[in-house]
Amino acid sequence: MDWLSNLIDYGIMGLLGFLAVLVLAIALERFHSYARLDLSRFAAPAALELALSRRLFVIASVASNAPYLGLLGTVFGIMLTFHRMGENAAIDTGEIMIGLALALKATAAGLAVALVSVVLYNTLLRAARVKTLLWQMRHGEENKQENT
């Protein structure tokens, strides 16, 4: 059952770590992209929306699925603890508690990744909405001047 312990430590926790780095990289790229975005370059609102929403679905997907990955790691950890209890009837309660506590680390990691992802997604969505509104205000004013 050591493979299960390795799956939790390196598989689940490693995947959650990778997803956290991926979300941060995408968020930094999006913030940088928003900062240097030239709104006058876009003739249609759909083109602007496509440019602003690029890769945001990845952050949203990580935000919604990271807790489930953490829960999967916790279930595996509890299974491993019960297996070890079954192998050794005279197991110390301290070892059981340590096993259960370590199992819960996957849930904590999944929740941490999800919380950060949700905050970044909402922040980026708000920034995209602001850019879209600025574009609409500029193009609305131009249309009024052209009609007069």
Side-chain angles (χ1 to χ4, degrees), residues 42-45 132-148:
F42 297 95
T132 303
L133 289 172
L134 288 172
W135 183 91
Q136 289 173 348
M137 288 178 359
R138 288 181 185 164
H139 282 75
E141 290 175 11
E142 290 174 7
N143 289 340
K144 286 180 185 176
Q145 291 175 356
E146 289 174 6
N147 292 335
T148 57

Side-chain angles (χ1 to χ4, degrees), residues 5-138:
S5 179
N6 289 335
L7 176 67
I8 297 166
D9 287 337
Y10 300 111
I12 303 291
M13 297 298 286
L15 181 59
L16 286 169
F18 169 75
L19 291 175
V21 170
L22 179 68
V23 163
L24 289 173
I26 290 172
L28 289 173
E29 183 276 330
R30 292 283 75 206
F31 283 126
H32 180 69
S33 174
Y34 290 178
R36 59 183 170 86
L37 188 68
D38 181 15
L39 294 176
S40 63
R41 189 181 81 149
F42 297 95
L48 176 62
E49 185 177 344
L50 282 173
L52 291 171
S53 64
R54 231 174 123 212
R55 289 191 215 89
L56 288 184
F57 74 94
V58 175
I59 297 174
S61 296
V62 170
S64 60
N65 289 304
Y68 296 115
L69 284 171
L71 184 59
L72 180 65
T74 296
V75 169
F76 285 157
I78 291 172
M79 287 172 46
L80 180 62
T81 300
F82 284 151
H83 178 75
R84 288 181 179 156
M85 286 170 49
E87 284 180 336
N88 184 5
I91 193 169
D92 181 29
T93 56
E95 289 181 41
I96 295 170
M97 293 302 127
I98 289 172
L100 294 176
L102 291 176
L104 290 172
K105 73 180 176 185
T107 296
L111 289 173
V113 171
L115 290 171
V116 170
S117 298
V118 167
V119 168
L120 289 172
Y121 177 77
N122 287 333
T123 303
L124 288 166
L125 207 57
R126 174 68 183 150
R129 181 71 180 140
V130 167
K131 294 281 187 186
T132 303
L133 289 172
L134 288 172
W135 183 91
Q136 289 173 348
M137 288 178 359
R138 288 181 185 164

